[in-house]
Amino acid sequence: MDVLKKVPVREQDAKERATNFAEVCLGYNMEEAVEEAARCINCKNAQCIKGCPVAINIPGFIEQVKNGDVKAAYQVISESSALPAVCGRVCPQESQCEGRCIRGIKGEPISIGKLERFVADWARERGIRPEGAKEKKGKKVAVIGSGPAGLTCAGDLAKMGYDVTIFEALHEAGGVLVYGIPEFRLPKQDVVAKEIENVKSLGVKIETNVVIGKSITIDELMEEEGFAAVFIGSGAGLPKFMGIPGENANGVFSANEYLTRSNLMKAFDETSNTPIMRGRKVAVVGGGNVAMDAARTALRLGAEVHIVYRRSEEELPARVEEVHHAKEEGIIFDLLTNPTEILSDDKGWVTGMKCIKMELGEPDESGRRRPVEIPGSEYTMEVDTVIMSLGTSPNPLISSTTEGLETNKWKCIIADEADGKTTKEGVYAGGDAVTGAATVILAMGAGKAAAKGIDEYLSGK
């Protein structure tokens, strides 16, 4: 065994997986997991833990895998994380735990994410669940949103003994885990639904089809329904657009709508009643993980797909693994390119997209080099579908219907990063509703911090 290199993980062949929605990564088996765990040098001052937003005892669980005790490894992880099978699949480990791994200084870091996934899958297949509270506190807490922030906050509060109810606006729990991330990256029934069942097994109740701000307000939850505290983890679901001519044409989607139709409403399935545009040539504008998800979904629906991004490959915000998988599957990258207009026929259907080539100038306030147009480089790309993946912002419905809840200029709820406390007493918030669109694990970290803050508030600490 070469201790400087990761044990390779098995994947579906690129040509085969480009035609189906089955999971791309097949994960480790027991033998592979033990071999990879054996590479860990069990640092005393473990930097990997400092890189984990929910502070999992990473050397602790890996040591148990090394010893072959996967159940004990799961118990270590579940002390800190409510969604290990999700995190093992979608966390940007390369910039978090694995990015801090000491083994990575002279070789490749430990495959922490793949080991976490292995442990969570092993436990799920054997019906092993996290342990709940031994004593109840007799106080009710409402959690708004059943995405990663809400599920984490609810799970932690339930373990502390609180009576927790999650209110979800959609007809199915899971938030971005069910509507945003495709099946081939995160299976819905085998993984997400089972993780939600684990949270419910702690005593958490989930009510779907409840739109806070319309069905009931936060003030009514607290004043009439007896909830002692509320956590807002409603995410950021409002898509952004470029504001260029032609964006209202038929065949222009936000990535949010496109992925929701496919993921939550199963539009990729021929038996589904949900329509989706099966374009012949699709342009996805943007370079983040959501853009990769939309592009890889369109590919599986039969299209030639182009990623159109105004900076170079070095500046792509998507995970390296996602870009690698997209390229393997045959997605074309039109980099240093920016759309200027969407063209349509006399019936309003997209026929093309005018673009201009860019070059990188001086760094902007984000530290990245600013893209600058190259005069005379305009051209038209022939497409019949355009998917805009330019980020999202929070829906202002909750903040506008809650007395005393303040937001910033981006309509994000103002909350303390350390404990999630907002400007309204007893109300806490975290995740994308506070930060704008970010990662699953950062939302989980915020949910965890808020659960601690709510416990301190309700116990008078």
Side-chain angles (χ1 to χ4, degrees), residues 140-391:
K140 290 167 59 179
V141 180
V143 171
I144 300 169
S146 64
L151 290 170
T152 300
C153 186
D156 279 15
L157 287 168
K159 286 178 188 174
M160 295 172 191
Y162 292 99
D163 180 359
V164 186
T165 303
I166 296 176
F167 296 96
E168 168 56 50
L170 296 178
H171 62 281
E172 196 171 319
V176 71
L177 305 176
V178 293
Y179 74 72
I181 303 175
E183 189 80 17
F184 53 81
R185 278 219 294 139
L186 187 62
K188 305 301 167 237
Q189 290 306 313
D190 291 344
V191 176
V192 178
K194 296 288 180 15
E195 297 270 72
I196 292 170
E197 284 303 315
N198 282 348
V199 173
K200 289 171 74 174
S201 75
L202 298 169
V204 174
K205 298 180 283 293
I206 300 179
E207 292 189 24
T208 56
N209 299 309
V210 180
V211 180
I212 301 297
K214 279 198 170 180
S215 309
I216 191 169
T217 65
I218 286 177
D219 294 322
E220 288 168 343
L221 285 174
M222 299 181 83
E223 293 164 15
E224 299 173 19
E225 300 296 326
F227 287 96
V230 175
F231 172 72
I232 303 169
S234 51
L238 282 184
K240 296 176 182 176
F241 288 87
M242 290 186 71
I244 59 175
E247 264 185 328
N248 291 329
N250 299 322
V252 179
F253 294 85
S254 70
N256 223 30
E257 179 191 352
Y258 192 81
L259 289 169
T260 300
R261 284 173 179 268
S262 176
N263 300 334
L264 177 63
M265 305 174 81
K266 309 297 180 211
F268 65 83
D269 186 339
E270 297 286 356
T271 63
S272 165
N273 290 326
T274 303
I276 197 167
M277 185 99 175
R278 291 177 181 261
R280 294 185 310 279
K281 189 170 178 181
V282 175
V284 179
V285 181
N289 290 325
V290 176
M292 300 303 145
D293 286 343
R296 295 172 70 196
T297 296
L299 182 85
R300 282 159 172 77
L301 292 172
E304 175 190 307
V305 184
H306 293 247
I307 292 271
V308 179
Y309 182 62
R310 64 188 187 141
R311 288 184 163 97
S312 70
E313 184 165 347
E314 284 182 13
E315 285 82 25
L316 279 168
R319 291 183 68 193
V320 172
E321 182 179 49
E322 300 309 318
V323 176
H324 170 68
H325 281 155
K327 284 183 174 178
E328 276 190 329
E329 291 165 7
I331 285 166
I332 300 155
F333 283 71
D334 292 307
L335 302 171
L336 291 167
T337 302
N338 205 36
T340 57
E341 184 180 354
I342 295 167
L343 307 173
S344 56
D345 61 20
D346 54 6
K347 293 183 179 176
W349 289 93
V350 171
T351 58
M353 186 168 73
K354 283 188 179 178
C355 299
I356 190 165
K357 299 302 288 182
M358 313 290 281
E359 60 185 356
L360 296 179
E362 295 300 312
D364 60 17
E365 60 278 0
S366 71
R368 295 184 299 173
R369 292 172 65 194
R370 187 188 300 275
V372 180
E373 293 182 355
I374 300 174
S377 64
E378 297 90 347
Y379 73 101
T380 298
M381 181 185 291
E382 188 184 323
V383 293
D384 59 10
T385 308
V386 177
I387 301 171
M388 293 292 182
S389 182
L390 307 167

Side-chain angles (χ1 to χ4, degrees), residues 4 41 65 102 110 119 124 157-158 285 293 303 311 344 375-377 406 449:
L4 297 180
I41 55 178
V65 175
I102 300 299
I110 307 300
V119 170
R124 182 185 69 247
L157 287 168
V285 181
D293 286 343
R311 288 184 163 97
S344 56
S377 64
E406 292 182 13

